[in-house]
């Protein structure tokens, strides 16, 4: 169950990074709504990370959480913010995913 909580926490990390990017693109009240989304996602992500680390090793949980956030944020950058999807970006993204899967596989 705590692995599921950790994955959800990682997805909220993607959400707060996305909100931050969208806030940069907007102005006025819309910008403030994105910042509210940023702080709400940040809070939820941290609380879920704390919950997940009650039973999971902190080193593994933190690495998986940041990995999910990094992979998700890069994908959001490519699909939402139209950042380039170069060979090397995708290559290192795959190596990052492989590392996350490897950490999960060797964790107790």
């Amino acid at each position: 169950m705590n692995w599921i909580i950790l994955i959800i926490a990682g997805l909220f990390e993607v959400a707060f990074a996305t909100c931050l990017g969208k806030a940069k693109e907007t102005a006025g009240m819309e910008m403030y709504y994105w910042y509210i989304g940023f702080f709400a996602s940040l809070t939820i992500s941290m609380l879920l990370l704390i919950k997940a680390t009650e039973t999971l090793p902190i080193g593994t949980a933190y690495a998986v959480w940041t990995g999910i956030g990094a992979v998700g944020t890069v994908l959001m950058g490519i699909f939402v913010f139209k950042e380039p999807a170069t060979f090397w970006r995708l290559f290192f993204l795959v190596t990052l995913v492989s590392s996350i899967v490897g950490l999960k596989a060797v964790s107790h």
Side-chain angles (χ1 to χ4, degrees), residues 4 10 13 23-24 30 43 50 54 63 68-69 75 91 98:
I4 294 169
E13 184 182 6
K24 251 176 66 173
E30 186 179 356
T43 302
I50 291 167
E54 289 175 356
I68 292 168
L75 292 175
F91 172 79
S98 300

Side-chain angles (χ1 to χ4, degrees), residues 23-57:
K24 251 176 66 173
E25 293 180 347
T26 58
M29 282 306 295
E30 186 179 356
M31 177 186 67
Y32 291 113
Y33 293 139
W34 284 113
Y35 280 127
I36 290 168
F38 165 78
F39 285 113
S41 298
L42 177 66
T43 302
I44 293 167
S45 181
M46 291 294 160
L47 291 173
L48 290 173
L49 177 62
I50 291 167
K51 176 69 176 151
T53 57
E54 289 175 356
T55 59
L56 300 175

